Amino acid sequence: MAKGEGRKGDALTEMESFDKTFAYILDELTTADQDPGVKEALVWFRRVLEFNVPHGKKNRGLSVVATYKLLKRSSHIPEEDDQQAAILGWCVEMVSSCINTLIHILARLID
């Protein structure tokens, strides 16, 4: 294996793991046995999240996970800890997405 090939493969695995966490978060945030009005709002909320959040480079969210692993300094990180770091990473991605959306809305108001 040439230098760097393993890193690229690891990055893909890290990205796939991070993406799976988004699917988990999406289900947790939008699945509820509530009245029809809440269910309809949750359907829209899911669509908004799917449209706005997971399609970027995910640098901010992945850096949260990477930073956690560096700070942990352990050869074995429990899956639950890894998932919690990924959830925090997705929170950062969601905040970033909200800020970017607001910036675009405000820019249109100024133009």
Side-chain angles (χ1 to χ4, degrees):
M1 177 179 349
K3 189 174 182 177
E5 280 183 22
R7 295 188 80 165
K8 187 174 183 180
D10 292 344
L12 290 174
T13 303
E14 188 72 34
M15 181 73 78
E16 290 170 354
S17 174
F18 193 64
D19 286 341
K20 285 181 184 177
T21 303
F22 182 73
Y24 167 78
I25 293 169
L26 204 55
D27 288 341
E28 286 291 314
L29 291 175
T30 61
T31 305
D33 295 316
Q34 303 280 335
D35 62 75
V38 173
K39 284 185 180 181
E40 185 177 344
L42 291 175
V43 168
W44 277 101
F45 183 51
R46 182 180 193 98
R47 290 178 65 190
V48 166
L49 290 174
E50 288 173 333
F51 183 82
N52 289 300
V53 178
H55 304 294
K57 293 179 282 185
K58 304 171 191 140
N59 288 341
R60 292 171 186 87
L62 288 169
S63 68
V64 170
V65 176
T67 302
Y68 171 77
K69 289 179 179 180
L70 286 171
L71 292 173
K72 185 73 172 175
R73 293 185 179 177
S74 175
S75 60
H76 174 70
I77 296 175
E79 188 176 330
E80 182 179 342
D81 289 357
D82 194 43
Q83 184 177 21
Q84 288 179 350
I87 289 170
L88 181 58
W90 277 112
C91 290
V92 170
E93 288 290 328
M94 287 180 199
V95 168
S96 177
S97 178
C98 288
I99 291 169
N100 286 333
T101 302
L102 288 172
I103 288 170
H104 289 288
I105 291 169
L106 291 174
R108 294 196 96 182
L109 290 174
I110 293 171
D111 289 342

